[in-house]
Amino acid sequence: ERHFANGQYKETLTCLRRSFEAISNKLGYEGKVKVCIEHLFAGAHTQKQQKAVEALFRLYQFLHLGPHEPPAPSGAEDDPVVFRRDARFALTMVHAVFEYITPQG
């Protein structure tokens, strides 16, 4: 949220991606975020598991735009590819995901 508030949109995505990786590492899936996500949904119905894993892994891939922002289209070298709305979308989605996967007490 600090990066977002400071207008650092690529950094916002990078920080959120690293949070996925930190959870994965903490659960013993060093460098294997998709395997970690699969583990989180291991007890779910097969279709729910497949769709959840695909959705969350795609979100994780979206977050790679932070450090791996594609080049701007020709003639627009100074135009960013990661916008404020992208960072806001990422913040909202990751917050919802982490709330969803956190065990309820």
Side-chain angles (χ1 to χ4, degrees):
E1 289 180 351
R2 181 174 33 91
H3 291 302
F4 180 78
N6 290 328
Q8 299 170 313
Y9 305 129
K10 288 172 49 173
E11 291 82 354
T12 302
L13 270 61
T14 299
C15 187
L16 293 169
R17 178 183 52 82
R18 288 183 180 153
S19 65
F20 265 98
E21 293 166 355
I23 289 171
S24 178
N25 294 345
K26 182 76 173 173
L27 294 176
Y29 298 96
E30 187 83 27
K32 298 177 184 173
V33 172
K34 187 172 185 179
V35 175
C36 179
I37 295 169
E38 289 169 349
H39 168 78
L40 292 171
F41 289 90
H45 183 275
T46 304
Q47 287 185 10
K48 180 179 178 180
Q49 179 186 23
Q50 291 171 345
K51 293 180 186 313
V53 169
E54 183 179 336
L56 298 187
F57 191 67
R58 292 289 185 197
L59 175 59
Y60 173 73
Q61 290 176 318
F62 178 81
L63 300 174
H64 271 274
L65 286 174
H68 304 291
E69 180 179 37
S74 61
E77 290 81 21
D78 295 332
D79 291 343
V81 174
V82 177
F83 295 98
R84 180 184 191 283
R85 66 179 179 259
D86 300 318
R88 183 71 190 138
F89 169 75
L91 273 171
T92 301
M93 293 301 292
V94 171
H95 175 78
V97 165
F98 287 173
E99 184 177 89
Y100 182 72
I101 65 172
T102 301
Q104 301 300 311

